[in-house]
Amino acid sequence: MPVFEYTARDSDGKKIVGIIEAVDRQRVLSYVDGLGLLPIDVRSKKTPFWKKWLKVSFGRVKKPHLVFFSRQLSTLIKAG
């Protein structure tokens, strides 16, 4: 899901900056409005390359690999 950075003002005129994960820009605007803030700017925030790479490279661990790792770790701990 895309990440957005928003800038808004509260009732006292204080600047508020935040980050939210949402489906689209319109949902971010309605969320900020629901907080009682006046939205000023909403921008899409790019995901860093290394986060995308980690997600692709290190997906879920499959059950057979987890079982093998657990047995190996158990043997290692018993051996001291």
Side-chain angles (χ1 to χ4, degrees), residues 27-63:
R27 302 257 171 125
V28 176
L29 289 171
S30 60
Y31 171 78
V32 172
D33 191 43
L35 293 175
L37 302 173
L38 177 65
I40 297 184
D41 186 31
V42 175
R43 295 181 186 185
S44 178
K45 191 169 174 126
K46 295 246 182 195
T47 306
F49 171 76
W50 62 271
K51 279 191 176 181
K52 287 181 185 176
W53 182 80
L54 280 176
K55 199 172 210 179
V56 171
S57 298
F58 301 105
R60 296 182 142 246
V61 177
K62 293 186 172 57
K63 195 179 260 184

